[in-house]
Amino acid sequence: MKIVEKFKALPDKIRAIPKKLSDKLAGAKEILTQGNGKVTASMLVMGLGQLIYKQWVKGAMFAFIQIAFIVYFVLTGATDLFGFFTLGTREGNAWYGVEGDNSVVRLIMGILAIMIIVLYAAIYVSNVKDVYRTQCAMDTLKKPADFKQEAAALLDKSFHKTALALPVIGVCVFSILPIVFMILIAFTNYGGDIVPPALVDWVGFANFGKILSLGQFAPTFFKIFGWNMLWAVLATALNYFAGLGLALLLNKKCVKGKAIWRAFPILAYAIPGFITLLGFKFMFSYGGPINYYIQQGGGEAVGFLGLDAKWSARFIGLAVNAWISIPSTMLLATGILSNVNTDLYEAARVDGASSWKQFIKITLPYVLFATTPVLISQFIGNFNNFGIFYFLRGGLYADGYFLASDTDLLINWLYNMSIDNNYYSIGAAISLVIFVITSIISLTVYVLSPSYKQEETFR
Amino acid sequence: MANLSLKHIYKVYPNGAKAVNDFNMQIDDKEFIVFVGPSGCGKSTTLRMIAGLEEITAGELKIGDTVVNGMEPKDRDIAMVFQNYALYPHMTIFENIAFGLRMRKIPDVKRDKEGRPVLDKDGKEIPVMRKYNKQELSAKVNEAAEILGITEYLKRKPKEMSGGQRQRVALGRAIVRHPKVMLLDEPLSNLDAKLRTQMRSEIVKLHKKLETTFIYVTHDQIEAMTMGTRIVVMKDGFVKQIDTPKNLYKYPANKFVAGFIGTPQMNFFACTLKKSGDKVKIKFTDADAEITVPYAALMKTTPHYLDGSKNVILGFRAEAVSLDGAGDAKIKVKISHSEELGTETLVYGDLNTEGGADTRIIIKAGGFRQFEPDAVCTATLDTEQIHLFDAETEESIMPRIPEFNYLDCSVKGGKLTFLGITETLPPAISCGEGKGELLIPVSAVKFGGDIKAKVTDSETVNGKILLTLEINSGRLYALSDEERKGDVSVGIDYKAITLRAGGSETLPMPRINCLDGTLIAEKKDGATVYSLLIGGEKFAAPEEVYTKIFAATTGRKAFNTAFRYEWDAYGLSVGESGISAEVEEMLDYGEEKFARVNACGQTLYVKTDADLSGTVRIVPDAAKVSVVESERRIRIV
Amino acid sequence: MNKANVKVVKAKTKRVLNVLITYCILILVAFIFFFPCLWLILASFSKSGSIYSFDGFFPAQYGFDAFKSLFTDTVMYNYPRWFANTLFIAVMSCILGTLLTILTAYCMSRFRFKSRKAMMKATLLLGMFPSFMGTIAVYLIMTQFNLINQHWGLILIYSAQAPMGYMVQKGFFDTIPYSIDEAARIDGASNFTVFVKFILPLSKPMLVYTALTSFTWPWSDFILPKMLLIDKDLYTVAVGLMSLGETEFARFAAGSIFIAIPIIVLYFCLVKYMINGMAAGAVKE
């Protein structure tokens, strides 16, 4: 029902886009047609209009930004921007001692240059808007804020600008830039033989075509995708319900010494993941303790995680993942359970509801409601759970797969292809596909979840 | 310690929703004002706008003599008590109360270490701003704590205190700064019933003690009635009525106020009115019942409601009916059940003794009394205490100040006869001959005419004086600025009357002339001149007008927005240059002459002394203009 | 025995059975979670060290050799050095990352600015990208800025990426009544003052939770350090332990225990804050 309504609302949203755009344009048009000479001055030279208005510090800052940008652009920016489109023109040759262009570095510096240009453009626009705002204030006989007030506002009204500046820059450089880079790599021929010093080139959608047309990629992709979905659903459900069950168990009135009982799962939670995983790998290895006992009992050593192991390895993965993740779900559920209104239980008991009924009718709906966002992120986390199979049996290539094995998730496959085997562009293209799938799933769930809707009405 | 003035206050959200609509009010110093209404009526938004927590979209808010629009909350010298107390959980009670003082600086003079003032070279003290010192802080906090009786808890944290004590701390935090205005946003709604009653009287006492202006928001009408010196009843962003508790109860201006104020709720019944002689028959629409009341009780009722065809709503309170009173207005009630409350018994019944439409009636009976369910009793209505409302607009049809005098009249040979007097109709009013009716607005009865009258009654309503005049044993209501007694002479302002006679109707001259235009700014000799631009003509705008427009708009919107400029007929005149207009008709009202002209597609009425024809130029008086922003429909001036 | 008595007895046996089953499950759970840890601890006391000289889960001979060599045999594997490196990186990233995350969450919770909704959706989307694909880019950026083989490079990345996970903290801030901010504003506080004097003291559980999570991530991460650190002396414990072979299992176990202990201690001290923090971050009522 809700999904249908969402989609019904879609046309209205799309129809609203031209209006939003024209509103934006109207704002720009107003500045262009009604801005006075000082606005024009600031359009030509950043900060000039402010200086004419005698806003010395602000004007100087804008002017400095413009100078700094010009210096940057002349020194490296222009080359970087150019490099983004060409991805390097001079091929290096160690034999002749020619130091060529590194295409990948060209690409990344190009993205950085574009980001800086966008940032500069944003500052430029705010410079024009600022001087126009001063003009408006002057025109309507209001006192424009002086520098002291504006500086004070940075700790008050616009504290968010001050506070968010660093996080936003950090996220842009270390989270967004890499992702943009990865997306763009999907449209190049980077990988295979074509790695620096060879020159990389733009190839458009060829990689996506390759995934579909080339025999080696498609079957592996669908096989792994099927397992990946199954894994994500099973792992999420297992962790969620086992964690919830554990929390409920520890919440029981008859359990004495809750802190001690709770300590064991927390112990598991606290141990760094890679230690746990390597420990389990040792445990199930050919020479590990499990096989030792099997051999003692007269059996033959079993390759639980060996190349031929399919389901045993999968089950071990599921179990180990549960071992690692259940404690955190338990902690979360414990916290949430302490918030459940106890009156409800008493009312239910008076009504003669069994404890199972109480769980189904009261606990589960409440916990589900409260944890929808967590559930989504857990699903995504499991879908992209790289560590489990990387540590348990990384680097195995089974028959019937292209550079992957039965247990590998898409993300492991990507790792095998791109990091271990240089199939960078194909890997990037596949990761885009994965991204689209996961984001559609989780965005839909998230937008439909009550938590998101309540955020809207918050306050 | 300050009066407040709210003029044309609006709150419009970006999506166009209007939370507060044209809020106008003058609040005197030391008043206890209560904003009351159902949730979502805009009462809290108004309070938050006064506090500065919410931006004012348009309008002018003054605290004392300062316009505080756009001023930070901390600079407004107000204090606020929140519904959930909003105590700072991690601070002690002392710190909670002291925090506001710590954030503030007080004027002082520069002093040396011993506290002696340091003098400058002219031997004068040097003024500086400094923070409160420890002694001052604790003295002030203790003073506030003492007033509220929380001295012993100062070292505690809020969570160690009960709800009532927390409320006291919240009050203490507010009063410690001696603010000009105290704002209280539903402060008692989180308390239990007993504590609420107790805190109610404490807040009232506090108000008396502090002698500060209080503004109190609540959804509870009992709180409003018991605490306020004046009450503002709001609904859907509109002010429904502003009056004293007594007047709200006795003279509700509309059905909403009538139903909102008072418990149990007022009884409402759909009915029709039919006048015959000096009696009015009230016939219930949904029940087979009717009562007769003397016309004297409905004197101010607009006559056309009395012909038996218009749907009206009859309202009366539970105490206006009794089961054993004497009187003529009797109705049959089938009792369904009763609630014994100790001092009185509420009897619930139905007018429909046979079932059918819902005609629930609540009757107050004294003491403990038993009533048989399904018994049919006779109830008597006190006809002095009935209220009547229009079924559609829900406005009272017997307002305290009636809008019109409804009179029978006859027209013959250009002469109008009413109330036994005959007057010559001015040329502007042409009317068929014969009997008819005459509607004279109470404001159109002017003193100093040639009609002799006698003042029989005078009543002060919200600062206006309503006089009841007797003319040849007929009755005429008039508004006056001053008390008048005995014999007076009055005249009729003919341009405001409505006359129906001989099958034709003359409507009053519209009072408002509207013109669409914009505001422009031009440089002239180095100075900027602001003008109203109407129909291509410019008229210099007075400072008061353009500053208000600037205050109500953002950016350069003042110059990019369409305005509707309004004047009465005296605000426009005919001049040498101005808006070009075609004269359509001359209206001669005897003493005054008006021209009906058409300018920019609008019909205007202009005061003139000469007979005009053809094309004329209209000059508006920019000093008398009122301004409405066309798109958002916001009144600015 | 009458019927009522039978009922009482029945209910009693049911209750006893219930308790019995509950404890059985709890013991099982405790065993499942504790046994691997015990195994690791025992392994660290193995004399020979290799995984092949074990009798099942139990070492053939016990001794302190693994611990001794862990701290003394630093030529090949300089464990004390790695430990110090890890501590430095984790502490610095924890301080910076917590600060940035809390600031981001506060802004997202308390301010209504134009790009807010867009930023919230964007971070949600970005979180879904398979992150290691971006590590190539991170590596390239670090080489360009000459931050390869430096601890500060790692700290920079950890702190810069931390604000992406602001949602839990925002959820917590959302539960602090907005009227406290408003009361403080009327009392004369600026938003900065509100943040420092009210929001921070009121969100201690969340601060602890955030600090803990942003400490454990660098503490146990191995992908980034493995990529960005070249010198063995600059290694973190995670990378260092990864470089140990199966024959060094006892040393691996001993090293693991040392790296796990600080975190375990922290978790146990702060478990209350953890529970409150997680719950408050999730519940939005």
Side-chain angles (χ1 to χ4, degrees):
Chain A
M1 255 323 273
K2 284 175 186 164
I3 299 173
V4 173
E5 279 164 26
K6 278 274 160 197
F7 278 103
K8 271 186 186 159
L10 211 60
D12 287 335
K13 280 194 177 163
I14 293 170
R15 248 175 268 142
I17 291 173
K19 195 188 174 303
K20 275 188 185 163
L21 277 179
S22 75
D23 284 352
K24 280 243 150 99
L25 281 179
K29 200 178 150 198
E30 187 187 313
I31 295 180
L32 287 176
T33 52
Q34 302 191 17
N36 59 16
K38 286 139 195 153
V39 175
T40 321
S42 268
M43 281 181 192
L44 295 174
V45 181
M46 274 170 73
L48 187 59
Q50 282 87 343
L51 290 174
I52 301 172
Y53 271 123
K54 299 204 173 88
Q55 297 173 320
W56 305 117
V57 184
K58 196 160 64 177
M61 272 161 56
F62 276 124
F64 174 76
I65 287 171
Q66 179 154 44
I67 292 165
F69 177 76
I70 289 169
V71 170
Y72 158 80
F73 197 76
V74 170
L75 288 184
T76 66
T79 342
D80 286 349
L81 189 65
F82 187 62
F84 176 81
F85 295 103
T86 60
L87 294 181
T89 45
R90 201 153 43 107
E91 190 161 349
N93 193 325
W95 197 256
Y96 298 109
V98 178
E99 203 194 331
D101 293 332
N102 184 331
S103 298
V104 191
V105 173
R106 292 283 102 221
L107 178 59
I108 209 151
M109 292 318 280
I111 300 170
L112 202 61
I114 290 173
M115 279 180 152
I116 291 172
I117 291 169
V118 169
L119 177 72
Y120 171 74
I123 297 176
Y124 176 84
V125 169
S126 80
N127 148 65
V128 175
K129 274 187 180 167
D130 175 77
V131 72
Y132 183 66
R133 207 161 35 235
T134 310
Q135 185 207 330
C136 288
M138 291 292 200
D139 284 353
T140 58
L141 305 175
K142 287 167 192 157
K143 241 182 106 185
D146 58 34
F147 185 71
K148 218 171 140 194
Q149 284 170 320
E150 277 181 297
L154 283 179
L155 285 183
D156 194 7
K157 271 222 167 102
S158 26
F159 179 56
H160 62 278
K161 288 182 190 162
T162 323
L164 282 180
L166 270 182
V168 166
I169 290 175
V171 166
C172 277
V173 175
F174 290 106
S175 296
I176 295 181
L177 192 147
I179 288 166
V180 173
F181 172 78
M182 187 207 77
I183 294 173
L184 292 175
I185 284 289
F187 299 94
T188 66
N189 58 4
Y190 178 42
D193 295 334
I194 309 172
V195 289
L199 288 178
V200 178
D201 226 333
W202 295 109
V203 294
F205 284 89
N207 290 317
F208 296 91
K210 255 191 219 163
I211 299 176
L212 290 177
S213 61
L214 280 191
Q216 52 192 150
F217 296 115
T220 306
F221 177 80
F222 287 111
K223 245 194 254 177
I224 294 181
F225 179 70
W227 157 237
N228 203 157
M229 282 302 283
L230 183 70
W231 157 267
V233 171
L234 282 181
T236 310
L238 179 65
N239 299 348
Y240 189 75
F241 287 107
L244 182 60
L246 203 51
L248 284 170
L249 206 65
L250 284 169
N251 230 23
K252 270 190 159 178
K253 275 202 187 105
C254 62
V255 176
K256 297 270 179 318
K258 289 190 170 98
I260 297 168
W261 291 115
R262 202 179 281 150
F264 295 104
I266 292 174
L267 190 68
Y269 181 38
I271 295 174
F274 74 99
I275 293 178
T276 316
L277 288 167
L278 287 174
F280 276 110
K281 188 181 179 180
F282 283 129
M283 193 186 275
F284 288 103
S285 66
Y286 267 103
I290 306 271
N291 270 319
Y292 172 84
Y293 290 113
I294 291 176
Q295 280 168 322
Q296 292 269 302
E300 198 136 292
V302 182
F304 290 106
L305 300 170
L307 185 59
D308 304 327
K310 184 174 178 183
W311 285 103
S312 74
R314 288 182 175 182
F315 277 121
I316 289 171
L318 214 56
V320 171
N321 187 41
W323 197 87
I324 293 172
S325 314
I326 284 175
S328 71
T329 318
M330 180 204 76
L331 284 182
L332 178 70
T334 307
I336 287 168
L337 285 176
S338 66
N339 289 347
V340 183
N341 190 352
T342 44
D343 293 354
L344 283 176
Y345 289 106
E346 271 158 29
R349 266 235 297 285
V350 171
D351 288 346
S354 66
S355 36
W356 174 248
K357 264 262 164 63
Q358 288 179 27
F359 173 74
I360 291 291
K361 293 277 172 196
I362 303 170
T363 315
L364 198 60
Y366 178 77
V367 174
L368 267 180
F369 158 72
T371 51
T372 328
V374 182
L375 207 56
I376 297 167
S377 66
Q378 280 187 353
F379 181 84
I380 298 298
N382 279 321
F383 196 94
N384 288 336
N385 198 329
F386 173 69
I388 289 279
F389 292 110
Y390 175 77
F391 282 110
L392 285 182
R393 59 194 307 250
L396 295 177
Y397 303 141
D399 290 339
Y401 288 95
F402 176 72
L403 299 178
S405 66
D406 291 312
T407 49
D408 278 343
L409 304 178
L410 284 168
I411 192 149
N412 298 97
W413 186 41
L414 286 179
Y415 186 86
N416 292 344
M417 282 205 299
S418 49
I419 308 280
D420 288 349
N421 291 290
N422 275 353
Y423 283 95
Y424 289 113
S425 52
I426 296 279
I430 291 175
S431 65
L432 262 184
V433 175
I434 300 176
F435 165 70
V436 170
I437 295 166
T438 48
S439 54
I440 287 175
I441 296 172
S442 45
L443 264 190
T444 322
V445 178
Y446 177 70
V447 169
L448 294 180
S449 74
S451 327
Y452 175 81
K453 280 183 187 150
Q454 294 214 342
E455 211 280 329
E456 312 271 305
T457 53
F458 169 62
R459 274 204 259 166
Chain B
M1 283 163 275
N3 48 335
L4 268 83
S5 135
L6 296 96
K7 275 190 196 154
H8 301 305
I9 299 283
Y10 285 83
K11 177 73 196 180
V12 186
Y13 288 110
N15 64 7
K18 278 184 184 168
V20 177
N21 254 300
D22 204 7
F23 192 110
N24 286 289
M25 194 178 181
Q26 293 292 324
I27 299 173
D28 293 333
D29 191 15
K30 294 172 200 167
E31 265 199 290
F32 196 124
I33 299 294
V34 181
F35 293 171
V36 69
S39 59
C41 68
K43 56 188 191 301
S44 278
T45 313
T46 313
L47 189 81
R48 292 166 58 82
M49 283 196 283
I50 297 173
L53 296 172
E54 202 87 52
E55 231 170 274
I56 299 171
T57 310
E60 185 189 76
L61 172 65
K62 272 187 186 169
I63 297 179
D65 297 323
T66 334
V67 177
V68 296
N69 292 41
M71 204 186 255
E72 283 290 305
K74 60 176 183 210
D75 302 324
R76 295 188 180 196
D77 205 0
I78 45 117
M80 186 156 165
V81 177
F82 292 83
Q83 179 176 3
N84 59 0
Y85 322 132
L87 299 183
Y88 311 135
H90 57 301
M91 293 183 175
T92 61
I93 301 308
F94 181 92
E95 282 304 318
N96 261 284
I97 299 178
F99 183 75
L101 298 175
R102 285 191 197 281
M103 286 280 113
R104 237 150 266 265
K105 285 187 172 173
I106 44 169
D108 197 2
V109 293
K110 207 172 173 185
R111 291 169 194 277
D112 60 13
K113 272 180 192 150
E114 275 88 50
R116 285 185 302 253
V118 178
L119 304 180
D120 63 8
K121 49 184 183 279
D122 301 332
K124 275 192 199 144
E125 292 176 333
I126 308 157
V128 289
M129 295 296 277
R130 67 164 176 89
K131 297 208 159 181
Y132 284 99
N133 63 31
K134 248 191 186 153
Q135 290 83 9
E136 289 168 330
L137 265 183
S138 70
K140 288 212 163 228
V141 172
N142 277 316
E143 182 202 339
E146 215 150 286
I147 293 175
L148 294 157
I150 47 171
T151 324
E152 59 206 286
Y153 308 116
L154 283 177
K155 287 206 176 71
R156 291 200 191 170
K157 290 259 178 82
K159 63 167 176 271
E160 298 158 33
M161 304 185 82
S162 68
Q165 289 166 338
R166 287 186 205 182
Q167 190 56 71
R168 272 169 230 265
V169 177
L171 283 169
R173 198 170 61 183
I175 64 173
V176 75
R177 286 192 276 115
H178 295 290
K180 278 186 192 154
V181 184
M182 284 272 284
L183 306 172
L184 302 100
D185 188 3
E186 307 217 16
L188 304 183
S189 56
N190 281 6
L191 299 177
D192 62 49
K194 198 181 156 207
L195 214 49
R196 207 180 301 169
T197 323
Q198 189 193 336
M199 286 304 291
R200 216 158 64 192
S201 56
E202 282 197 31
I203 290 178
V204 172
K205 265 192 235 158
L206 193 66
H207 172 242
K208 292 226 170 76
K209 186 161 190 163
L210 296 177
E211 300 198 316
T212 305
T213 315
F214 272 49
I215 302 177
Y216 187 105
V217 163
T218 179
H219 62 265
D220 180 355
Q221 56 96 10
I222 297 179
E223 268 177 36
M225 294 293 279
T226 49
M227 300 172 87
T229 53
R230 276 199 296 159
I231 297 174
V232 181
V233 185
M234 294 182 75
K235 188 196 175 197
D236 301 336
F238 287 93
V239 173
K240 284 292 179 181
Q241 196 173 357
I242 303 180
D243 218 326
T244 59
K246 187 181 131 199
N247 285 342
L248 281 185
Y249 192 81
K250 280 179 80 176
Y251 310 109
N254 43 59
K255 188 184 165 211
F256 176 75
V257 174
F260 194 78
I261 301 289
T263 33
Q265 213 203 32
M266 189 183 268
N267 297 301
F268 291 114
F269 300 100
C271 55
T272 53
L273 309 174
K274 176 95 182 144
K275 185 184 171 212
S276 55
D278 59 350
K279 302 264 186 207
V280 176
K281 220 182 256 174
I282 303 179
K283 190 176 177 339
F284 291 79
T285 317
D286 295 329
D288 181 26
E290 59 176 47
I291 50 173
T292 313
V293 299
Y295 177 58
L298 307 178
M299 202 91 91
K300 287 178 186 169
T301 309
T302 315
H304 66 263
Y305 285 104
L306 300 176
D307 60 2
S309 66
K310 268 244 174 199
N311 285 326
V312 298
I313 292 167
L314 167 72
F316 52 88
R317 297 190 187 277
E319 63 261 32
V321 228
S322 69
L323 288 171
D324 39 23
D328 300 330
K330 289 193 188 301
I331 27 175
K332 280 223 159 48
V333 177
K334 186 173 148 197
I335 291 165
S336 73
H337 66 279
S338 59
E339 291 173 352
E340 289 168 45
L341 302 173
T343 52
E344 66 204 21
T345 303
L346 293 183
V347 185
Y348 291 76
D350 279 298
L351 292 190
N352 271 333
T353 49
E354 309 296 321
D358 182 28
T359 49
R360 169 54 48 91
I361 180 170
I362 307 171
I363 301 165
K364 232 178 226 180
F368 289 99
R369 289 178 55 176
Q370 297 282 326
F371 292 93
E372 279 297 313
D374 291 340
V376 177
C377 301
T378 307
T380 317
L381 186 62
D382 180 358
T383 53
E384 291 290 313
Q385 296 189 48
I386 62 168
H387 305 274
L388 291 166
F389 307 98
D390 185 294
E392 273 152 35
T393 64
E394 302 198 340
E395 292 298 311
S396 172
I397 59 172
M398 35 190 286
R400 297 185 71 191
I401 300 178
E403 202 181 338
F404 296 106
N405 290 293
Y406 289 83
L407 303 168
D408 293 327
C409 66
S410 63
V411 180
K412 201 177 173 197
K415 289 203 191 292
L416 174 70
T417 310
F418 64 100
L419 292 174
I421 47 175
T422 304
E423 293 250 303
T424 311
L425 279 172
I429 298 176
S430 57
C431 193
E433 307 235 318
K435 279 196 186 306
E437 62 172 349
L438 173 66
L439 277 67
I440 308 171
V442 287
S443 56
V445 181
K446 303 280 179 209
F447 290 90
D450 50 7
I451 305 169
K452 296 277 174 267
K454 205 170 98 190
V455 179
T456 55
D457 194 12
S458 102
E459 187 182 3
T460 310
V461 181
N462 292 334
K464 291 175 190 160
I465 298 165
L466 180 72
L467 299 179
T468 313
L469 309 176
E470 199 184 83
I471 301 169
N472 298 333
S473 74
R475 201 186 59 244
L476 192 71
Y477 291 111
L479 278 183
S480 166
D481 301 330
E482 49 188 288
E483 280 290 347
R484 288 169 200 273
K485 279 203 182 84
D487 290 328
V488 291
S489 53
V490 294
I492 307 295
D493 183 359
Y494 280 101
K495 66 176 182 291
I497 65 160
T498 307
L499 177 61
R500 297 192 196 95
S504 70
E505 184 182 48
T506 308
L507 292 175
M509 193 181 89
R511 293 192 8 243
I512 307 287
N513 295 307
C514 299
L515 281 168
D516 292 323
T518 53
L519 182 75
I520 54 163
E522 286 168 311
K523 286 252 187 279
K524 243 180 222 165
D525 311 328
T528 315
V529 178
Y530 300 94
S531 321
L532 313 179
L533 181 67
I534 305 167
E537 299 291 330
K538 287 176 246 172
F539 306 98
E543 190 181 345
E544 198 223 347
V545 171
Y546 63 75
T547 48
K548 276 192 177 160
I549 291 177
F550 291 155
T553 52
T554 52
R556 277 178 57 85
K557 266 253 167 71
F559 304 113
N560 298 328
T561 318
F563 294 107
R564 166 151 292 194
Y565 298 116
E566 295 178 352
W567 287 272
D568 62 11
Y570 302 100
L572 302 176
S573 59
V574 176
E576 292 291 305
S577 61
I579 308 156
S580 144
E582 294 297 325
V583 177
E584 290 179 343
E585 195 186 354
M586 283 303 299
L587 301 169
D588 183 357
Y589 284 105
E591 292 163 15
E592 295 170 318
K593 272 187 195 164
F594 296 90
R596 192 177 77 209
V597 302
N598 189 312
C600 314
Q602 299 273 12
T603 304
L604 308 173
Y605 291 83
V606 186
K607 168 92 169 64
T608 175
D609 293 327
D611 279 327
L612 301 173
S613 61
T615 306
V616 292
R617 297 273 169 182
I618 305 293
V619 187
D621 183 353
K624 288 183 182 168
V625 72
S626 6
V627 183
V628 176
E629 193 200 301
S630 309
E631 193 191 329
R632 292 185 294 173
R633 303 206 159 275
I634 289 177
R635 183 163 292 277
I636 293 169
V637 184
Chain C
M1 276 206 284
N2 55 26
K3 262 188 179 172
N5 257 335
V6 171
K7 254 192 176 169
V8 170
V9 170
K10 254 190 174 172
K12 209 168 179 187
T13 32
K14 213 176 150 189
R15 215 178 307 143
V16 169
L17 211 67
N18 189 348
V19 173
L20 221 66
I21 294 173
T22 307
Y23 275 97
C24 282
I25 300 175
L26 280 178
I27 289 167
L28 186 71
V29 167
F31 177 77
I32 290 174
F33 282 111
F34 186 61
F35 184 74
C37 308
L38 183 74
W39 176 55
L40 266 182
I41 295 169
L42 288 177
S44 67
F45 289 103
S46 153
K47 205 170 175 82
S48 73
S50 164
I51 194 169
Y52 300 107
S53 63
F54 275 53
D55 298 340
F57 285 105
F58 308 101
Q61 280 178 303
Y62 290 94
F64 289 97
D65 303 30
F67 287 97
K68 222 187 274 169
S69 59
L70 193 64
F71 288 101
T72 51
D73 175 22
T74 52
V75 184
M76 268 283 279
Y77 306 113
N78 193 345
Y79 187 80
R81 188 63 184 270
W82 298 342
F83 197 87
N85 292 342
T86 315
L87 196 66
F88 173 71
I89 294 173
V91 167
M92 293 315 282
S93 321
C94 166
I95 295 170
L96 293 173
T98 307
L99 183 74
L100 295 183
T101 312
I102 292 281
L103 276 175
T104 312
Y106 170 69
C107 293
M108 291 302 195
S109 166
R110 284 306 199 256
F111 291 89
R112 291 289 178 272
F113 47 93
K114 250 195 266 164
S115 45
R116 178 173 166 275
K117 275 263 132 118
M119 280 168 88
M120 283 171 66
K121 282 190 182 146
T123 44
L124 202 74
L125 269 177
L126 292 177
M128 285 168 219
F129 270 88
S131 59
F132 76 83
M133 290 303 291
T135 50
I136 309 164
V138 171
Y139 179 80
L140 289 171
I141 297 168
M142 295 322 261
T143 44
Q144 288 299 305
F145 294 146
N146 272 336
L147 283 168
I148 289 288
N149 213 15
Q150 281 191 33
H151 289 153
W152 278 107
L154 276 173
I155 295 168
L156 188 66
I157 299 173
Y158 287 129
S159 336
Q161 289 184 346
M164 289 281 288
Y166 71 94
M167 275 304 272
V168 178
Q169 287 76 6
K170 177 191 169 285
F172 181 86
F173 290 145
D174 285 351
T175 63
I176 298 177
Y178 200 71
S179 54
I180 287 188
D181 299 41
E182 291 179 338
R185 291 193 63 76
I186 287 178
D187 271 348
S190 67
N191 277 329
F192 177 70
T193 320
V194 170
F195 177 67
V196 173
K197 287 214 163 143
F198 296 95
I199 300 294
L200 282 187
L202 285 178
S203 43
K204 253 187 227 151
M206 206 65 241
L207 279 176
V208 171
Y209 172 81
T210 315
L212 200 56
T213 46
S214 50
F215 178 83
T216 48
W217 178 25
W219 186 257
S220 53
D221 183 36
F222 70 98
I223 294 187
L224 273 177
K226 195 184 171 199
M227 193 171 64
L228 294 180
L229 301 175
I230 300 159
D231 277 351
K232 253 189 166 177
D233 268 355
L234 293 176
Y235 272 9
T236 61
V237 174
V239 184
L241 289 182
M242 289 283 291
S243 64
L244 292 169
E246 286 196 346
T247 51
E248 300 276 2
F249 186 59
R251 196 192 269 211
F252 171 82
S256 304
I257 287 166
F258 262 96
I259 198 170
I261 282 174
I263 297 198
I264 292 171
V265 170
L266 277 177
Y267 271 66
F268 277 106
C269 295
L270 306 171
V271 68
K272 248 214 150 71
Y273 287 120
M274 289 288 294
I275 293 176
N276 288 342
M278 283 177 129
V283 183
K284 283 174 205 129
E285 278 186 293

